Amino acid sequence: MTVGLPLRPALGVVALAITTLACGPAARAQEAAQQGEGGRAWRFTPSLSVQQTFTDNYRIQPERESDAVTQATVGMRLVGAGTRLRGDLDLSLTGLAYARHSEENNIQRYLRGNGSVELLEDRAFVEVNGSVTQQQISAFGPATDNPALANDNRTQVTNLTISPFIRGPLGGSVQYEARYTYGLTRSSQFGAADSSTSGLLLSLQGGDRQRTLSWSVAANSQVSDFSEGEESESDSLRGTLSYPVLPSVVLTGIGGVERSDLQSATKERHSISGLQLEWVPSERTNLSARFERRYFGDSHAVNFSFRTPRTVWTFSDTRDINLLGAARATRAWARCTTCCSCSSRRWSPTCSGATCLCAASSRNST
């Protein structure tokens, strides 16, 4: 199984980045809180659990084999916020011991963390997000969320995103933001799934959305680079114009253009048009609905939340595109139509070969 492999360098990067961001200043923040200097305390929570699983099909295969699996998990969580730093780190190691099939013994790693640091007051910031999780390889293989079951269709995936940005006023009521984002994805089994992205966002916005006419303009450029040497590029320019038709209702018009090479070998230009409605009748109730016409079809995002003294009710429905996932799926699909006889050019598992199964799985994930 791939889940028992040693840590890859990318995992070390994730752990080092988030731990450095959180743990170092955390100690100072705790000390400041204890000394009454106004710093907010950080909270460290260790955890330990043991679980026993008895199964008649430990490998999730047609030929059943029984086993008893002992699962022990040790973890920690660090959460807090200082004057200029916030962080949330959740880390755990799970050891699995099989009574009848000791060759399956392994250690699975889990990490989710995010942090932000304010480099210059109200001006310059850095955000870091990272994760190490177990994910399904193919949509057509065995699937289970139970880590105690030995599943060859599961692999360890590492994600890391670093985003420095600056923001502030630009005369009058105009606000600006300039953000650079770099992200990487690493898989412990298939190097072909490794990828990295880099993007630049420039935005301006002005006016008071709750009282008068307001506007915004955002330019975004993103490049996705894959381990096989392929690249995908996309650019967009989007503008919005908002007006409060009622004190609790804001109506927004959306327009713009975008270019990408997801549907052809060269960049194609497409228009963006849409509307957005926001309704906030009280501090406890919020409804937003956005509808756009894009190059891949219609997209939407509907979000609703309602709070009571003891409950929170939320609803979310979204249809959009993941540019990195779409680029990976498009290229996997092209390889499938080349190496297999997929003359129908459909997303189908009927093609033989790992790359074709990967293509179908990638489309499912986007």
Side-chain angles (χ1 to χ4, degrees):
M1 291 183 61
T2 59
V3 293
L5 293 177
L7 289 173
R8 296 190 56 176
L11 175 56
V13 173
V14 174
L16 178 61
I18 298 178
T19 304
T20 301
L21 184 61
C23 295
R28 292 193 295 270
Q30 287 180 321
E31 181 181 356
Q34 294 170 355
Q35 295 176 357
E37 297 178 3
R40 302 178 187 177
W42 288 64
R43 184 174 68 255
F44 174 81
T45 307
S47 62
L48 176 65
S49 66
V50 179
Q51 179 177 326
Q52 186 68 37
T53 300
F54 300 93
T55 176
D56 63 351
N57 191 356
Y58 86 102
R59 289 190 59 82
I60 327 176
Q61 296 294 330
E63 300 79 17
R64 294 172 175 266
E65 293 186 70
S66 61
D67 208 334
V69 187
T70 303
Q71 175 180 330
T73 301
V74 58
M76 55 151 282
R77 188 176 184 189
L78 180 65
V79 182
T83 305
R84 294 195 175 188
L85 183 137
R86 298 174 182 270
D88 186 341
L89 178 65
D90 191 354
L91 172 66
S92 66
L93 297 176
T94 298
L96 298 169
Y98 294 77
R100 299 182 59 188
H101 303 86
S102 59
E103 69 277 5
E104 300 287 357
N105 294 352
N106 68 89
I107 296 177
Q108 297 182 3
R109 303 163 182 86
Y110 172 89
L111 181 148
R112 286 194 184 277
N114 63 80
S116 63
V117 59
E118 184 178 11
L119 301 178
L120 296 176
E121 186 174 1
D122 296 329
R123 286 294 182 271
F125 309 82
V126 176
E127 294 178 345
V128 180
N129 293 273
S131 68
V132 179
T133 58
Q134 305 292 324
Q135 296 185 15
Q136 189 174 329
I137 298 172
S138 170
F140 305 99
T144 177
D145 294 330
N146 189 346
L149 300 180
N151 188 0
D152 290 332
N153 191 40
R154 185 168 54 205
T155 185
Q156 178 177 285
V157 177
T158 302
N159 292 283
L160 174 66
T161 302
I162 301 176
S163 181
F165 64 98
I166 58 174
R167 68 184 180 195
L170 193 64
S173 61
V174 178
Q175 298 286 324
Y176 73 89
E177 180 175 323
R179 178 187 293 265
Y180 174 77
T181 302
Y182 176 80
L184 61 84
T185 298
R186 296 291 182 265
S187 170
S188 62
Q189 180 162 347
F190 292 114
D194 295 350
S195 61
S196 63
T197 61
S198 59
L200 181 63
L201 171 67
L202 303 174
S203 65
L204 295 172
Q205 60 180 9
D208 187 342
R209 300 181 74 252
Q210 302 301 323
R211 298 182 179 180
T212 62
L213 191 70
S214 61
W215 58 271
S216 71
V217 177
N220 187 27
S221 178
Q222 179 173 303
V223 177
S224 302
D225 186 15
F226 302 91
S227 57
E228 295 183 340
E230 298 171 326
E231 283 189 355
S232 176
E233 299 182 8
S234 62
D235 307 302
S236 67
L237 179 64
R238 183 190 303 260
T240 67
L241 196 61
S242 303
Y243 183 74
V245 294
L246 294 173
S248 61
V249 179
V250 177
L251 185 63
T252 301
I254 304 170
V257 294
E258 58 186 339
R259 297 188 307 160
S260 72
D261 57 2
L262 295 179
Q263 295 180 313
S264 65
T266 59
K267 284 186 178 181
E268 293 182 341
R269 183 177 179 274
H270 303 271
S271 61
I272 302 173
S273 61
L275 289 173
Q276 178 171 306
L277 177 69
E278 294 177 81
W279 178 51
V280 187
S282 68
E283 294 182 354
R284 298 185 303 170
T285 306
N286 189 304
L287 171 66
S288 66
R290 174 179 54 82
F291 301 91
E292 291 183 344
R293 179 157 293 178
R294 303 281 301 279
Y295 70 92
F296 58 88
D298 294 335
S299 70
H300 66 263
V302 179
N303 295 281
F304 173 76
S305 66
F306 176 71
R307 292 185 293 109
T308 69
R310 294 191 177 185
T311 63
V312 177
W313 302 82
T314 63
F315 170 82
S316 178
D317 180 45
T318 303
R319 183 179 188 269
D320 210 331
I321 188 169
N322 181 326
L323 290 176
L324 176 59
R328 182 184 292 117
T330 299
R331 278 146 180 76
W333 171 58
R335 289 194 300 272
C336 181
T337 58
T338 300
C339 70
C340 315
S341 299
C342 295
S343 57
S344 60
R345 299 177 69 83
R346 295 177 182 174
W347 290 95
S348 171
T350 56
C351 300
S352 60
T355 55
C356 302
L357 289 177
C358 180
S361 176
S362 296
R363 182 178 187 272
N364 187 26
S365 65
T366 60

